Amino acid sequence: MSIREKLPVLEAILFAGGEPVDIDKLCLSMDLESSQVKELLEMLSEKYKNSESGIELLKLESSYQLAAKKEYAPYIKTALEIKKNAVLSPAAMEVLAIVAYNQPVTKSFIENVRGVDSSGVVNSLVEKSLLSEAGRLDLPGRPIAYKTTDNFLRSFQLTGLGDLPPVPEKKEQITIDDITENNDND
């Protein structure tokens, strides 16, 4: 079977998987080298980009997944009776940012950065599958560490954590002293 003839095999695996499938599993299942699977993935991606298909290929770190194109979301919501998008609170967005840039982290690390109890927010983000447990740290009490998930990447349209915007340099950040100085001058 030629490489091109394996394209429907790849498509079937990704469709049946439903969830992101790691490239190593694709290589193993198709008995192909990584470079060959990447070539097929590129061909599949182009196929969906160039056709009038409602499907696209998503890359999430080293995994791939078939998904509906964003422009068809309203139709999908109606057909599947999905009421509305879940809006994340500012606290949830703050926790996600802390975890995304520092993972894996514990609840106590998040609370130390935020300055407030964050248990409820972390638990809510785990329930929404935006965060997951990343094991336990070898520290007293063996605290649970948390990391972002593939669902986090999908939700924020990222192919990987490398797509996160850079953290501003210290000189670009505003401090509380800058704010109080400006208010004192008014």
Side-chain angles (χ1 to χ4, degrees), residues 87-99 110 114 116-122 124-125 131:
V87 177
L88 294 174
S89 68
M93 294 296 285
E94 190 174 68
V95 168
L96 282 173
I98 292 167
V99 176
I110 296 166
R114 294 188 68 226
V116 295
D117 176 47
S118 301
S119 296
V121 177
V122 170
S124 172
L125 292 170
L131 294 181

Side-chain angles (χ1 to χ4, degrees), residues 17-37:
E19 295 293 320
V21 181
D22 191 74
I23 193 160
D24 292 337
K25 286 185 181 181
L26 294 171
C27 292
L28 184 65
S29 66
M30 298 179 70
D31 194 29
L32 294 173
E33 297 295 319
S34 178
S35 61
Q36 294 171 309
V37 172

